[in-house]
Amino acid sequence: ARIAPSVVVAHGGEAAKYCSIALPRTLPLVYLKIGTAHRALQRRANRSLHGFYTRRANVIAAVSTDVADEAHEIYDVPRDRLAVVPNARDPRDFPGHIQRNSGSPRLIFVGHLDPGKRPDWYIDAVTTLIGEGLDLEAVMVGDGPLQAQLQRTADELGAPVELRGRMQPAEIRAELEQAAVLAMPCVV
C-alpha cells in the first residue's frame, strides 16, 4: 500500500538533510532540530549544506531558544517558521528528589556518545573534580561512535567513569534517581 503523507517530520539533521533533497517542495517538512551545529560546520561546504536543509523546512521545532536563535541568526530562517518545543521529556518522570545511598555524590551523563553531545567534556570535568580532591562517582549512560574512545580516554586519565551503555527508559530513571548531578555538556 502506498501512503500519501500530508506532512513529514525529520528528527535531527541527518533526516532533514535527506528529506530536504528527496521530498517534493509541495510536501511540508517539519525539522525537529535537536541541537546546535558542532565544530564540523565550521567548514564552508558543511555550513552551506546545513543552511540548505534548515531553510528548506517549512517549520523548525527547536528544543531550546539557543537552537532556534542559531537557525534564525546563522541560517536566516524567519522567526515565524520557528517554534521552541522543550526537549520532550515529562518532568513527572524525573522527580526532584534523590533516592540514593549515603556516600559519594554521583554525577551522571545521559546521551548519545557523539561529538555534538560533548561527552569528552564530561570526562574532563570529572578528571578536574577528582584532581581537586572531590570524592565522587561518575556514570555515563548511552552509546554511540565515541564510546570506545571515551573509555580509553577515561582509562588514560585515571578518571573513575563507568560507561554503562544503552539503557531502557525505566533503567535510566533509576540511574537518575541515584544521581546528585545530571551533567549536560552539549550545546542545545
Side-chain angles (χ1 to χ4, degrees), residues 76-157:
D76 298 320
V77 175
R79 292 270 181 206
D80 65 349
R81 289 180 29 214
L82 296 168
V84 175
V85 180
N87 212 4
R89 302 292 183 257
D90 188 340
R92 293 173 297 191
D93 287 341
F94 304 99
H97 60 281
I98 300 170
Q99 300 176 359
R100 64 179 184 85
N101 299 328
S102 61
S104 302
R106 177 181 287 190
L107 280 65
I108 190 167
F109 169 100
V110 179
H112 192 238
L113 303 180
D114 67 23
K117 298 295 182 195
R118 312 293 203 284
D120 54 324
W121 290 3
Y122 176 74
I123 291 174
D124 290 345
V126 168
T127 302
T128 299
L129 293 170
I130 296 292
E132 292 182 6
L134 273 86
D135 180 31
L136 57 88
E137 297 175 31
V139 174
M140 294 181 84
V141 175
D143 64 2
L146 297 180
Q147 188 167 356
Q149 177 185 337
L150 292 166
Q151 185 65 66
R152 284 191 303 275
T153 300
D155 293 344
E156 290 167 6
L157 295 173

Side-chain angles (χ1 to χ4, degrees), residues 34-36 63-67 87 116-117 184 186-188:
I34 56 177
T36 58
V63 299
S64 72
T65 54
D66 287 340
V67 173
N87 212 4
K117 298 295 182 195
M184 296 179 65
C186 62
V187 180
V188 295

Side-chain angles (χ1 to χ4, degrees), residues 51 54-61 68-83:
T54 299
R55 286 186 300 273
R56 159 57 177 97
N58 299 82
V59 173
I60 294 176
D69 289 345
E70 177 188 86
H72 175 70
E73 292 165 10
I74 295 176
Y75 303 111
D76 298 320
V77 175
R79 292 270 181 206
D80 65 349
R81 289 180 29 214
L82 296 168

